[in-house]
Every structure is written in structure tokens, then in C-alpha cells.
Amino acid sequence: MREVILVYLDRSGGLQKFVHDCKKYNDSKQSYAVYRFIISINPSDIAELDATLGNYILHNPLQAAQIFQSVCFVAIKTLSLIEQLQTEAQISILLKPTHLPPLPSYVLSLSAYPFNYTSPRFYVSEGIVIAMGTVTKYTQGARFLCTEETCPFSEGFRCIRVHCPGATESATVRTDFVCSLCSSPLQEDMKFRVLGDKQIVEMTDAKILNALKGYSIDKSHFRIQAFTLFLR
């Protein structure tokens, strides 16, 4: 899969964009705990190269992002793209599909039963925005250090917390994390906290427009409920 990813990135121009993004990080005088990359992918093109990888990206995007993370780390180290980068955990990959297969199973509709959305994968959802919150900050990544000075994890970038889709803020930043090596408490290095923007949006199904048509001959009744989206 790693070889297929490298071939795809080279053919699609994603590798060139990745190198350009690395150059911006490398030229920056700021030190980062997490280097975030957004990679656009065409699921159809990837499926033609390797059907297994294409299916993996569509149905297990979080695990697929880890494979992209490994490929990007090797590329950075091989080509010396970011001198400050130390560990693979410092790389955060966000896969952004250009489209999804035009099939009903890839459409998220909260007005259709049953609600079989247990898989944490990509869905398309269309609706009407009825409310928007203000833009606030959230933690994309943070660096933690072991409080035991003799522990190898008391320095470097071995303990990195990165926000994952669907996770809350407390899953990334908390005060009760412990070292996986010596079980001592971990303390965040605030100088390396990486922040991003988030916005809460209330959406509702487009069928709500039917309520504006007035009296209906078929006398059908329906109930519309809004749902919340987090835009990050």
C-alpha cells in the first residue's frame, strides 16, 4: 500500500504540493510539535491502482491516514524536507476526498431509517444551515514531557497528542496523562501547542422546505430535527 500511495501522489501532483508544504514549515522560524498536511485524494483513481487501498480509504479513513503518515515521514526524512522533524508522531495527515461513490450507502441522511452509521468513514450530507456559531480555537496537537527526569520521554517529541475526527478537547489535552514507559505523570509543554479554528453549525434536512408549501393534499405529517456539525 505504501508503494501505491507514493505512485498516486507522484501522478496526481500531491507529492509536489506536499514538498511545497514541507518547505513552508522548514523555512519557518517557529518550532512545531505537530506538522499538519491536507492531502486531496480521488478514491476512484486510487481504486484503479489498488482496489484494496481504495476500499481501505473509503471505509477506514483513520487507519488509512496512518499509512499516509508513514509514507510522508519516510519522504521527509529521505529528502531532508523538514530538519526540525524528529518522530513520525509529529505528522498529522488529513485525507480530503474529491468525491465519493454515487451510491446510497455513502449518503448520510438523518431522515432515512434505519440509522446505520456506525462506521467512522466518509459520508456526504446535504442540508440547510439554520444557525452558525462563532469561530473558536481548539487544540490540533500538543507535546507532553515525562516529569521523571531520568526517563527518556522527559525530552524530545516522543509523547505527542493529535486531535482525531470525532474526539473531544479532553482527548487531546488533559492533566492526567501518564508516561507509557515509567507511568509517571506527563506535563504539557505549552510552547508547542498547535491551535486551529473550529465552528459549530446547525443543519437540517432539505425536506424542511416542504413545511413552507402550506397545506398538503396527502395530509402527510413529518418532523424535522436539526443536527450539529463541527467544522474544523
Side-chain angles (χ1 to χ4, degrees):
M1 288 187 181
R2 290 176 174 84
E3 293 180 1
V4 176
I5 290 174
L6 195 57
V7 171
Y8 172 75
L9 291 177
D10 185 34
R11 292 182 180 179
S12 64
L15 187 59
Q16 183 178 359
K17 179 182 180 299
F18 175 74
V19 172
H20 181 264
D21 292 340
C22 288
K23 187 177 185 303
K24 291 193 297 183
Y25 277 124
N26 196 47
D27 294 342
S28 175
K29 296 181 180 180
Q30 182 180 352
S31 298
Y32 293 88
V34 177
Y35 298 88
R36 190 167 183 261
F37 299 96
I38 300 177
I39 299 180
S40 296
I41 55 175
N42 186 321
S44 299
D45 291 345
I46 294 180
E48 290 182 2
L49 289 174
D50 188 284
T52 302
L53 177 60
N55 184 71
Y56 202 60
I57 291 174
L58 288 173
H59 300 95
N60 298 281
L62 298 181
Q63 291 78 4
Q66 294 178 356
I67 304 178
F68 276 82
Q69 177 188 29
S70 177
V71 172
C72 292
F73 177 73
V74 173
I76 291 174
K77 283 300 183 182
T78 303
L79 303 176
S80 301
L81 299 176
I82 303 178
E83 296 179 359
Q84 306 94 324
L85 180 69
Q86 295 185 20
T87 64
E88 183 176 321
Q90 290 181 260
I91 299 177
S92 175
I93 300 296
L94 177 63
L95 299 180
K96 186 177 181 180
T98 57
H99 67 281
L100 293 180
L103 300 172
S105 59
Y106 292 97
V107 177
L108 189 150
S109 175
L110 297 184
S111 64
Y113 289 91
F115 297 153
N116 187 24
Y117 303 119
T118 57
S119 175
R121 60 181 178 87
F122 293 116
Y123 292 98
V124 173
S125 180
E126 294 183 354
I128 300 173
V129 175
I130 60 175
M132 297 177 65
T134 59
V135 177
T136 58
K137 296 294 183 181
Y138 78 101
T139 304
Q140 289 183 350
R143 175 199 188 193
F144 287 83
L145 297 174
C146 182
T147 54
E148 175 56 51
E149 295 182 356
T150 60
C151 179
F153 287 4
S154 63
E155 58 183 8
F157 294 85
R158 300 173 182 269
C159 299
I160 301 294
R161 304 289 301 182
V162 180
H163 173 81
C164 293
T168 60
E169 182 77 5
S170 61
T172 309
V173 179
R174 260 197 338 258
T175 58
D176 59 348
F177 291 129
V178 296
C179 178
S180 59
L181 191 62
C182 67
S183 298
S184 298
L186 293 178
Q187 185 175 12
E188 183 186 357
D189 187 351
M190 294 297 296
K191 299 190 302 293
F192 288 90
R193 178 179 287 194
V194 181
L195 299 178
D197 295 331
K198 75 174 181 180
Q199 188 174 22
I200 299 178
V201 174
E202 288 287 328
M203 286 185 61
T204 185
D205 195 283
K207 292 181 179 179
I208 194 175
L209 294 177
N210 293 332
L212 304 178
K213 295 180 180 179
Y215 178 77
S216 179
I217 299 178
D218 58 7
K219 299 181 181 181
S220 61
H221 300 280
F222 59 90
R223 176 176 179 269
I224 297 295
Q225 180 174 335
F227 56 97
T228 303
L229 294 179
F230 289 83
L231 305 181
R232 299 183 185 269

